[in-house]
Amino acid sequence: MTGTTWQRLKSDPLGVGGLCVVVLFALVALCVWSGLLGQGWSEVSGERWENASSDHWFGTNLLGQDILQRTLFGTATAFEVGLIVTACSTILGTLMGALAGWYSHSWLDELVLWLKGVLDSIPFYLFAAAVAFALQGNPWAMHLAMIVTFWTTTARIIRGEVMRIKEREFIEAARAIGLPGLVTVFRHVLPNTFHILLVQGSIVFVAAINTEVILSFLGLGIQDGVSWGLMLAESSQEVLAGHFGNFAAAGGSLFLLLMGFNLLADALQDALDTRRAIR
Amino acid sequence: MLKKIQIALLLALLILVCCGEPPATNGGKPAKVYRHAMDGAPGSLDPAQAASLYANFIVVTLDDTLYRYKYLARPYQLQPNLAAAMPEISADGLQVTIRIREDVYFMDDPAFANGKGREVKAQDFVYSIMRHFDPETRAQGAWLWQNRIEGLDRWKEQGSDYDSEVTGLRALDDHSVQITLTKPFPQLIHTLTQGYAAIVPREAVEAYGQMLSNHPVGSGPFRLASRDSARAVLTRNPDFRQQPFDLADEGYDPASQANLGLQVLQDRSPPFVDRLEFEFITEDAARWNAFTAGEVHFIKVPVSQFDNVLSQRNPVTLSPGFDGMYHFEASPESGFVYTNFNMDDERLGIHPDPEQNIRNRALRCAMVKAFDWDKRNEIFFYDIGRVFPGAIIPSVPEFDPAGDASYIQRDLKGARELLQANGWDEETLPTLEYGFPNSVTERQIFEQFRNFMMDAGYPSAKIRPMIFATYGDYQRAYSQGKVTLINSSWTMDYPDAENLMQLYYGPNSAPGSNSANYKNPEYDRLYDISAAMAESPERTENYRKMNQMLIDDCVSINGISRTLLFLWDRNAIMKPDRSFLGGYFLRFVDLAEPANTTP
């Protein structure tokens, strides 16, 4: 990110707000991973359905587990899923998109487009359920389902961008001096797609967190641990009995983080778009 | 233009009126429609496949079995249904002769010649049982009679030809059946009360094949009008036999049942309502809302509503807001919940090395001591379940009130000492998989279990969840011995303690019902002796000895019998049951105010 982009981002108050929210949640996730927070998520530390108190800020659930601890741990779960899925699907999508774009209208391009068409034609949650079923009990089933389906959008965008860039003069020059095709792609084409990947990555991150919550709610997600989706699933039985701790904590956290990410992604898109900046 | 629109609207209205469901009537009077909420939907309505509680519930209203339980008598008592009387049993207990009533007809159906239902005969019963041993039926009830009836298993091996006879299952004439057993089987008559033993006509099976599951043809008081995944509608069978209701015969107890209004049924012939509507509502909240809105007459109260519904747990008492509005019953289940150890797993079960075997037993016993039944009962069963040691539940006569209560008392200190004395520590304790089907409650039960073990020093990371998509997948996995810690429940098939003791009988190990894979020669010997005995002090003593073996060997963390809460509309005249009688009670349901019963 250039200094100019950073300046543009800083001048967008909503973007800065979004960034603060994301950074705050990221810090929480870091603290959980480093063992400073949320380690007591599975311990029974109170009585059933205790109200919010100084001991339990968000109250307790049916088992007497502290809802705050579970919410904090759920943040780490969300970030873990978001990071892994974003990294893997972005790398995969970039590679596939770059190859398809560079060798456009070749059999390789056709193959990538066909694969993308096939994967896009399968309803996502049905696909996730099938993967979860096929890899029964595997803690990575959910991640795999998301990576396998999320790369296609990134690939489509990168393919178009690569096709555009490869017609530019500096690529013509690279070809003229005899630089091998793949070296040109990785050294000169892909670095010019970074701004797109940044925005697309933030969109995938949001989608991954969202999907994790939905899959966990449906019982197809997190196996051992806790996530906001599991907390929301628990709350579906508690709300009827008048206990809203799980619902408020998990729903509120999810809302805040997704809102933060969306504001940040919008601001990033604006900051990286040179045409908008000129206008 | 306006006139054209008006005409179009009128026509549309006319079409709607003509094509809509006809108003339910009964000879000009408003029809009596009883609506029953169920927390699950049945799969097949073919009696041979009526494996679930839900399917069984509906099957016994559409079809007949030879015997049933008395509607109102508790403890449950057998009663002839299609049988003319109780069976005649030979002195050696091997030959059972049953007479069948002569006034019973199948309901009219195109499967019969001229569409007219014919008489139910002894041959139909023989055919219906044989179907369980025909692989093409994909039946699920064969285990009830496997290796019990002379020649039946051989008939299956020889290709399941219905035209060849089974030596031990014969129709002596149109109204007499003779069953020859391989060894005494006192529970036989109980098995003949179940949906699996319901009688179906061969014509219907041949006409509908696998579609019999959606097109049942029986001799019961109701016939299926429609069914989908959300509801089933049954209408009165107009040709159902006249069989006047007799309160005394059904075990009526004025002291405890007078308030149910059942007296009005005396001398009337069921069915008493024109239509039964089953609403399959799996979501607790939706089912509860349907009940409180008056859309259904009956509900098994979801556990999440216990706090609202009850003002007191011991004795169970309704809250003022519900008391007087509904009829109410707190009914102990005929079964129990347990966590079995897989004894075939060398990490905590039987080990070839005798020393390790002793350490494994200590590990299991420490886990039993670490388990907190009081907390389990409080959190998941609202403190109204009954905890007991072993596998003999409190509702059977063999239950020993003076049993080893220490087995169900939490003893954390004892658990830690036992682990330490046998060389178990955080390093040496094995990593175990705790299996459960995917659901919020099952996950919570797992987390609570892990917490109990953590309290005794078991590392959290060493008790891992093993989650299955459906209960069927889970059951398949533990039946194949693939799960180490098996959380499950057992509902008795019939009110005889033999049905409990067989859960730990060696030959019933995986893939049988002995999911603990417990194999104790002495236990098996006593089971073999006792299974052929009718209820008696000697059998009780044997069963109690076997129960103590389970406790001594720490085979399972057991158990608790749940208490089910039923609420039903005050207009509904009935005594509901979800146990051995099951759906049979729906034959006798009546509604006090028909005017208020149609939507």
Side-chain angles (χ1 to χ4, degrees):
Chain A
M1 196 185 295
T2 63
T4 326
T5 309
W6 175 239
Q7 289 301 324
R8 281 191 216 127
L9 185 64
K10 272 205 306 186
S11 64
D12 183 344
L14 283 177
V16 172
L19 181 64
C20 291
V21 171
V22 172
V23 168
L24 182 70
F25 275 95
L27 282 174
V28 169
L30 275 174
C31 289
V32 173
W33 287 328
S34 56
L36 296 173
L37 281 178
Q39 300 309 297
W41 65 271
S42 75
E43 282 167 24
V44 173
S45 54
E47 290 302 310
R48 176 175 60 179
W49 288 327
E50 277 186 37
N51 288 327
S53 66
S54 55
D55 288 339
H56 305 288
W57 291 5
F58 293 170
T60 61
N61 67 3
L62 172 75
L63 296 181
Q65 294 164 315
D66 185 89
I67 291 175
L68 174 63
Q69 297 272 346
R70 293 170 75 77
T71 310
L72 296 175
F73 198 91
T75 308
T77 304
F79 267 81
E80 180 211 299
V81 172
L83 284 173
I84 291 172
V85 171
T86 304
C88 294
S89 67
T90 303
I91 291 169
L92 188 62
T94 305
L95 282 177
M96 298 293 254
L99 289 174
W102 187 255
Y103 298 109
S104 57
H105 308 300
S106 69
W107 66 268
L108 188 63
D109 184 28
E110 290 291 319
L111 183 70
V112 172
L113 288 178
W114 174 82
L115 195 60
K116 175 189 163 340
V118 168
L119 289 170
D120 286 351
S121 66
I122 306 171
F124 173 70
Y125 291 106
L126 194 65
F127 183 74
V131 172
F133 186 78
L135 302 174
Q136 202 150 46
N138 190 313
W140 300 103
M142 173 183 64
H143 300 73
L144 189 69
M146 280 196 255
I147 292 164
V148 168
T149 46
F150 284 4
W151 69 268
T152 59
T153 312
T154 309
R156 179 175 54 78
I157 295 167
I158 294 300
R159 175 178 176 270
E161 192 63 11
V162 170
M163 283 168 71
R164 191 180 66 80
I165 293 171
K166 77 176 182 181
E167 302 301 330
R168 301 278 296 272
E169 291 82 356
F170 69 96
I171 301 297
E172 291 283 322
R175 277 201 188 112
I177 60 170
L179 209 61
L182 286 178
V183 174
T184 313
V185 169
F186 286 104
R187 194 175 295 168
H188 299 292
V189 178
L190 284 182
N192 282 293
T193 62
F194 177 74
H195 62 293
I196 294 174
L197 289 177
L198 198 63
V199 175
Q200 179 58 19
S202 64
I203 292 169
V204 170
F205 202 101
V206 172
I209 291 175
N210 211 7
T211 307
E212 180 275 311
V213 171
I214 293 169
L215 289 177
S216 294
F217 181 84
L218 295 174
L220 300 168
I222 293 296
Q223 301 285 308
D224 194 5
V226 72
S227 88
W228 295 336
L230 289 174
M231 291 172 69
L232 286 172
E234 273 185 23
S235 77
S236 67
Q237 296 191 346
E238 296 172 346
V239 167
L240 192 68
H243 305 286
F244 299 93
N246 264 322
F247 177 74
S253 301
L254 181 66
F255 172 77
L256 271 179
L257 182 59
L258 294 194
M259 178 64 85
F261 257 116
N262 280 326
L263 291 174
L264 178 63
D266 277 351
L268 264 180
Q269 196 162 18
D270 290 346
L272 290 165
D273 189 339
T274 47
R275 282 165 300 182
R276 281 193 200 186
I278 291 164
R279 278 202 297 272
Chain B
M1 184 62 189
L2 191 65
K3 201 170 178 182
K4 279 182 183 172
I5 293 171
Q6 283 175 335
I7 291 169
L9 282 172
L10 269 173
L11 275 173
L13 193 66
L14 197 65
I15 290 167
L16 275 175
V17 168
C18 294
C19 299
E21 201 173 326
T25 58
N26 176 20
K29 288 187 289 182
K32 288 183 177 181
V33 182
Y34 170 77
R35 297 185 191 86
H36 191 86
M38 284 168 84
D39 49 2
S44 169
L45 295 184
D46 179 348
Q49 296 164 356
S52 72
L53 174 88
Y54 314 110
N56 197 65
F57 228 73
I58 299 180
V59 160
V60 296
T61 60
L62 298 165
D63 306 296
D64 272 308
T65 53
L66 290 186
Y67 293 92
R68 64 175 172 86
Y69 295 100
K70 291 185 178 182
Y71 177 26
L72 305 168
R74 301 291 180 278
Y76 293 90
Q77 290 173 26
L78 286 164
Q79 163 106 317
N81 184 43
L82 280 199
M86 292 307 283
E88 295 160 24
I89 302 173
S90 63
D92 60 4
L94 293 177
Q95 206 157 69
V96 180
T97 308
I98 301 168
R99 290 283 304 161
I100 294 178
R101 292 171 64 116
E102 297 184 12
D103 58 345
V104 182
Y105 289 82
F106 287 114
M107 56 187 66
D108 294 347
D109 190 273
F112 298 112
N114 305 321
K116 192 77 189 150
R118 64 162 175 79
E119 191 182 7
V120 177
K121 296 182 174 171
Q123 290 84 352
D124 294 309
F125 168 76
V126 170
Y127 173 74
S128 301
I129 299 298
M130 286 163 83
R131 285 185 73 223
H132 285 274
F133 290 77
D134 175 0
E136 277 191 22
T137 310
R138 290 186 238 164
Q140 297 178 55
W143 63 273
L144 283 170
W145 304 290
Q146 217 154 23
N147 301 320
R148 304 273 196 190
I149 297 177
E150 191 66 54
L152 195 49
D153 297 87
R154 196 166 54 246
W155 177 81
K156 180 186 176 183
E157 286 159 17
Q158 289 170 348
S160 306
D161 175 10
Y162 288 99
D163 292 326
S164 66
E165 212 174 59
V166 175
T167 48
L169 185 63
R170 292 192 303 137
L172 299 178
D173 55 47
D174 282 355
H175 299 102
S176 304
V177 172
Q178 192 170 68
I179 300 172
T180 308
L181 299 167
T182 54
K183 56 186 173 185
F185 182 30
Q187 297 80 24
L188 173 73
I189 306 307
H190 289 295
T191 69
L192 302 183
T193 65
Q194 300 195 20
Y196 283 137
I199 299 175
V200 291
R202 187 168 178 175
E203 296 94 318
V205 176
E206 289 175 353
Y208 301 118
Q210 290 297 330
M211 290 307 292
L212 190 72
S213 65
N214 283 317
H215 196 124
V217 180
S219 56
F222 293 95
R223 55 187 307 150
L224 186 69
S226 65
R227 174 168 90 110
D228 56 36
S229 59
R231 71 199 295 249
V233 177
L234 278 62
T235 53
R236 168 201 289 269
N237 172 9
D239 301 321
F240 189 65
R241 61 188 175 274
Q242 290 294 304
Q243 203 170 342
F245 185 87
D246 185 341
L247 279 169
D249 223 26
E250 298 292 346
Y252 177 64
D253 173 22
S256 63
Q257 296 167 344
N259 66 328
L260 299 179
L262 297 162
Q263 301 86 330
V264 298
L265 307 181
Q266 181 66 29
D267 296 329
R268 292 166 57 202
S269 264
F272 306 123
V273 296
D274 301 296
R275 211 161 69 184
L276 290 180
E277 293 183 1
F278 292 92
E279 304 287 344
F280 311 129
I281 312 173
T282 50
E283 283 298 319
D284 284 353
R287 201 167 62 256
W288 178 249
N289 288 339
F291 177 70
T292 50
E295 290 168 14
V296 292
H297 291 102
F298 166 87
I299 191 170
K300 178 173 86 69
V301 181
V303 176
S304 56
Q305 287 300 325
F306 280 18
D307 267 346
N308 285 340
V309 171
L310 300 180
S311 63
Q312 192 179 308
R313 295 177 186 183
N314 193 16
V316 175
T317 312
L318 271 189
S319 299
F322 292 91
D323 199 17
M325 273 182 78
Y326 302 107
H327 283 298
F328 163 70
E329 185 175 289
S331 170
E333 72 165 340
S334 311
F336 69 120
V337 180
Y338 54 81
T339 304
N340 274 347
F341 299 110
N342 181 0
M343 301 293 279
D344 274 353
D345 189 327
E346 290 184 4
R347 290 173 296 174
L348 87 171
I350 299 299
H351 198 281
D353 173 8
E355 274 188 30
Q356 184 62 36
N357 211 20
I358 291 168
R359 292 182 70 222
N360 284 4
R361 181 185 167 278
L363 171 60
R364 295 193 304 274
C365 291
M367 291 174 85
V368 170
K369 285 179 188 293
F371 195 87
D372 189 344
W373 274 112
D374 290 341
K375 204 73 183 167
R376 172 61 57 91
N377 195 5
E378 180 202 331
I379 299 291
F380 292 102
F381 309 111
Y382 273 71
D383 248 348
I384 55 173
R386 177 131 182 225
V387 182
F388 60 93
I392 301 180
I393 64 173
S395 60
V396 297
E398 288 82 356
F399 174 70
D400 182 4
D404 185 358
S406 66
Y407 196 69
I408 48 174
Q409 279 159 3
R410 194 175 206 206
D411 177 10
L412 272 182
K413 188 167 167 278
R416 287 201 196 97
E417 283 171 1
L418 203 52
L419 288 176
Q420 200 179 11
N422 286 275
W424 292 113
D425 56 32
E426 287 196 8
E427 292 297 314
T428 55
L429 280 167
T431 300
L432 304 174
E433 296 81 33
Y434 182 103
F436 58 92
N438 188 9
S439 87
V440 171
T441 305
E442 293 287 349
R443 185 182 281 272
Q444 288 171 327
I445 287 174
F446 158 70
E447 285 196 21
Q448 191 193 48
F449 177 88
R450 183 158 65 178
N451 261 285
F452 292 158
M453 298 307 129
M454 282 159 61
D455 291 345
Y458 216 112
S460 165
K462 288 199 163 184
I463 298 179
R464 291 187 179 155
M466 194 175 186
I467 307 172
F468 296 85
T470 63
Y471 186 79
D473 293 337
Y474 173 51
Q475 194 177 28
R476 219 173 353 266
Y478 74 66
S479 297
Q480 292 167 357
K482 292 179 181 169
V483 183
T484 310
L485 299 167
I486 303 150
N487 183 55
S488 192
S489 63
W490 179 259
T491 302
M492 291 173 77
D493 299 294
Y494 39 81
D496 188 300
E498 179 269 343
N499 196 242
L500 298 168
M501 304 323 287
Q502 58 88 27
L503 285 174
Y504 297 95
Y505 178 53
N508 286 353
S509 295
S513 53
N514 177 3
S515 60
N517 295 307
Y518 180 58
K519 297 173 195 93
N520 178 337
E522 180 58 11
Y523 184 100
D524 294 349
R525 189 186 69 79
L526 283 176
Y527 176 84
D528 286 332
I529 295 168
S530 310
M533 294 162 72
E535 197 183 309
S536 64
E538 190 188 346
R539 195 181 80 156
T540 299
E541 197 188 325
N542 285 349
Y543 281 170
R544 286 181 179 175
K545 273 186 203 163
M546 291 157 73
N547 199 49
Q548 192 57 45
M549 288 177 202
L550 298 176
I551 291 171
D552 293 342
D553 288 340
C554 297
V555 180
S556 177
I557 304 173
N558 48 10
I560 186 168
S561 275
R562 295 166 286 199
T563 299
L564 311 176
L565 296 188
F566 301 142
L567 282 183
W568 66 100
D569 193 296
R570 292 199 82 84
N571 283 338
I573 301 166
M574 63 183 195
K575 178 174 165 49
D577 186 275
R578 210 177 138 105
S579 186
F580 305 115
L581 183 72
Y584 256 111
F585 86 85
L586 291 167
R587 292 175 175 230
F588 309 114
V589 167
D590 197 3
L591 293 169
E593 293 174 32
N596 294 339
T597 58
T598 45

